[in-house]
Amino acid sequence: MTVPGLFGLEGELISLRIRVDPKHLEDLLEALALLDFPVNPQLYHRPGQVTVEFPAYSARVREVGDAIRNHGFNPESLEVRGVI
């Protein structure tokens, strides 16, 4: 059984995830704060790593990738997952 996604004017609602070293967390959050849409990230802390996860519409994936690349992060570290 396939579960339908949630769609809006900017595409499907998805979950974006970026893993980062704790010492670079502030830089990542600053990059996300510059996006043209509100980001309310969940932070998951593990030894030596923080996972930053937040919802966005699929049309925004490139914008997020560009923002993190412009702040020195690898855009390939951006994971895209379905919300449901």
Side-chain angles (χ1 to χ4, degrees):
M1 179 171 108
T2 303
V3 178
L6 299 173
F7 289 87
L9 295 174
E10 297 184 57
E12 182 178 6
L13 185 63
I14 56 174
S15 179
L16 299 180
R17 179 181 293 173
I18 306 162
R19 290 184 176 92
V20 67
D21 185 285
K23 66 183 175 183
H24 296 115
L25 177 60
E26 186 175 339
D27 293 332
L28 177 60
L29 294 177
E30 286 179 14
L32 297 176
L34 297 175
L35 293 169
D36 288 335
F37 64 97
V39 173
N40 186 16
Q42 295 289 318
L43 305 179
Y44 302 97
H45 297 269
R46 292 189 148 178
Q49 177 180 301
V50 178
T51 301
V52 178
E53 190 170 334
F54 57 96
Y57 284 102
S58 56
R60 299 293 189 148
V61 172
R62 185 176 191 152
E63 179 183 350
V64 174
D66 290 346
I68 64 174
R69 181 182 58 248
N70 291 338
H71 278 78
F73 295 95
N74 183 349
E76 293 181 13
S77 67
L78 179 62
E79 296 178 39
V80 178
R81 298 175 175 243
V83 172
I84 297 180

